């Protein structure tokens, strides 16, 4: 289950419509990349600076991301072998 990604040495954590605003309010920035010359946005935002520096402050953010990733994984259809 993918709940986070690291790009250019920056940690991004999975969000959904319910948690996106909390991350944005805390200073989170959306992960984007270019494909075919167009920006693509994924549902991953950076964590607050304080959380990135202190494990105890990181836990609530990662806990939310893991719950979201698990829910998303549960909804996906199994891959064919």
């Amino acid at each position: 289950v993918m709940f986070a990604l690291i790009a250019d040495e920056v940690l991004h954590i999975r969000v959904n419509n319910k948690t996106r605003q909390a991350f944005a309010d805390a200073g989170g920035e959306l992960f984007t990349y270019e494909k075919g010359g167009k920006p693509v946005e994924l549902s991953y935002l950076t964590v607050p600076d304080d959380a990135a520096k202190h494990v105890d402050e990181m836990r609530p953010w990662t806990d939310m991301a893991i719950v979201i990733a698990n829910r998303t994984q549960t909804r996906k259809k199994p891959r064919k072998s």
Side-chain angles (χ1 to χ4, degrees):
V1 174
M2 188 169 156
F3 72 93
L5 64 86
I6 297 174
D8 297 323
E9 299 183 24
V10 177
L11 175 65
H12 296 79
I13 297 184
R14 183 72 182 249
V15 297
N16 65 11
N17 291 337
K18 293 180 182 179
T19 61
R20 181 182 309 269
Q21 193 59 51
F23 277 81
D25 290 347
E29 296 180 18
L30 188 63
F31 176 75
T32 61
Y33 68 95
E34 282 197 19
K35 183 175 182 179
K38 296 181 181 182
V40 176
E41 297 178 347
L42 297 182
S43 294
Y44 293 85
L45 272 80
T46 57
V47 295
D49 288 338
D50 289 343
K53 296 175 186 171
H54 304 286
V55 173
D56 291 337
E57 294 185 28
M58 178 68 82
R59 184 170 305 279
W61 300 101
T62 56
D63 287 348
M64 281 190 283
I66 291 168
V67 168
I68 293 163
N70 282 326
R71 285 182 187 157
T72 303
Q73 185 69 25
T74 302
R75 288 187 211 135
K76 288 184 179 179
K77 294 180 181 177
R79 290 184 179 182
K80 294 181 182 179
S81 303

